[in-house]
Amino acid sequence: VSCPGQQVWVSQPGQDRVPPRVISAPMFTEAAVSMCDLESGSVKVKEPSNRGRWHGCWYERLVQPCLVELLGSALFIFIGCLSVIENGPDTGRLQPALAHGLALGLVIATLGNISGGHFNPAVSLAAMLVGGLKLTMLFPYWISQLCGGLIGATLAKAVSPEDRFWNATGAAFVTVQESEQVAGAVVAEVILTTLLVLTVCTGAINEKTLGPLAPFCIGFSVTVDILAGGAVSGACMNPARAFGPAMVANHWDYHWIYWLGPLLASLLVGVLIRFFIGDAKIRLILKGR
């Protein structure tokens, strides 16, 4: 194949050569021109600059996950708060349990591949402890989740009738009314959050137990926890879920329970996975050969 405007010698039977003739450019296809460029070494492939590549990498690794954590937390907490504010007397804890569980499963399924789908400071802490999140991203995730919780609770207040909002204390946690309930509430939060965080770490981080149904298993764990422990502690399991409504409704009674219990559960799950039930890449001891 020759390049446009280049002289070509065409051999025919019984002749060594014929006079050269010029093949004009229109006779060539784009593929032929490309082959000529390859032969002459003149191909110029336009590649993204190092600066553009760095900016894209920086955005997708640092900024985009935090934006997704903020968005997912806002959606999840909006649905959760609204389900409590609009909860009818006949449904009991079933409506909030289903709303929280299904909402969390959906936002994890749709957004989880970008940020990991935490939407919970306790989950982010456990993920960091077992190697699923870099330490440098822990505090940005927390800030994004707390801001998302505040946005979600504010939106729930904006769309709710005022009397319903205040009758439900803005979906803030009011289960613990007396100091005698504190110990049981803290223990319940630790156990309930342990189930949730363990489901996240084993279903979405630990390679030995990874599964495609992890988002919905995580949502089911929230539903089960609320049905089982809602009357004991409120079954928060998420400091961002407690912070947003507490800020909007200005209700801080025993608020510390919903930080202490979930964060203790995260430390417990981190120890369990790192030392006992994690796969060989995560486990710190007894790795074998």
Side-chain angles (χ1 to χ4, degrees):
V1 178
S2 301
C3 297
Q6 180 179 357
Q7 292 183 346
V8 180
W9 292 98
V10 180
S11 298
Q12 294 181 358
Q15 296 181 356
D16 292 335
R17 285 184 176 182
V18 296
R21 56 191 176 91
V22 177
I23 301 178
S24 60
M27 296 177 61
F28 284 82
T29 63
E30 291 182 3
V33 173
S34 299
M35 292 175 64
C36 293
D37 290 339
L38 286 172
E39 281 187 356
S40 62
S42 62
V43 174
K44 295 181 180 179
V45 180
K46 186 176 181 180
E47 295 181 355
S49 65
N50 290 334
R51 183 177 179 182
R53 190 184 303 115
W54 184 87
H55 279 300
C57 180
W58 174 81
Y59 174 77
E60 291 186 358
R61 292 179 59 186
L62 302 178
V63 178
Q64 194 177 58
C66 292
L67 292 177
V68 166
E69 285 295 311
L70 185 145
L71 173 63
S73 298
L75 291 173
F76 164 63
I77 293 171
F78 170 76
I79 296 296
C81 290
L82 202 61
S83 70
V84 173
I85 295 169
E86 299 295 334
N87 189 23
D90 298 332
T91 58
R93 291 189 299 276
L94 182 61
Q95 179 173 320
L98 289 175
H100 282 83
L102 292 173
L104 184 60
L106 286 173
V107 294
I108 292 174
T110 54
L111 300 175
N113 286 338
I114 300 176
S115 69
H118 299 175
F119 314 123
N120 183 339
V123 171
S124 295
L125 176 60
M128 186 274 296
L129 292 174
V130 301
L133 180 69
K134 292 183 178 180
L135 177 61
T136 54
M137 294 298 293
L138 179 61
F139 288 102
Y141 266 45
W142 280 6
I143 293 171
S144 300
Q145 292 155 0
L146 293 175
C147 291
L150 183 58
I151 293 171
T154 302
L155 292 174
K157 180 182 180 181
V159 302
S160 301
E162 187 173 357
D163 57 337
R164 282 183 174 269
F165 178 83
W166 291 113
N167 286 339
T169 322
F173 288 90
V174 297
T175 306
V176 180
Q177 298 287 338
E178 301 176 356
S179 57
E180 290 79 7
Q181 298 175 271
V182 169
V186 171
V187 173
E189 283 296 311
V190 171
I191 297 173
L192 297 174
T193 309
T194 296
L195 175 61
L196 168 62
V197 175
L198 190 63
T199 304
V200 174
C201 291
T202 55
I205 298 176
N206 189 58
E207 290 187 1
K208 190 175 182 180
T209 53
L210 284 174
L213 297 179
F216 299 102
C217 291
I218 295 167
F220 292 154
S221 70
V222 170
T223 298
V224 169
D225 281 348
I226 294 174
L227 290 174
V232 179
S233 66
C236 174
M237 306 164 287
N238 186 340
R241 169 63 178 85
F243 174 78
M247 178 68 75
V248 173
N250 195 27
H251 181 84
W252 301 99
D253 294 350
Y254 301 105
H255 179 75
W256 59 270
I257 292 174
Y258 306 107
W259 285 82
L260 179 63
L263 295 180
L264 286 177
S266 297
L267 296 175
L268 176 61
V269 172
V271 170
L272 285 174
I273 292 180
R274 279 293 191 180
F275 289 93
F276 300 105
I277 63 176
D279 57 41
K281 292 183 179 179
I282 294 177
R283 200 169 61 251
L284 298 177
I285 62 173
L286 303 174
K287 291 189 175 183
R289 299 182 62 182

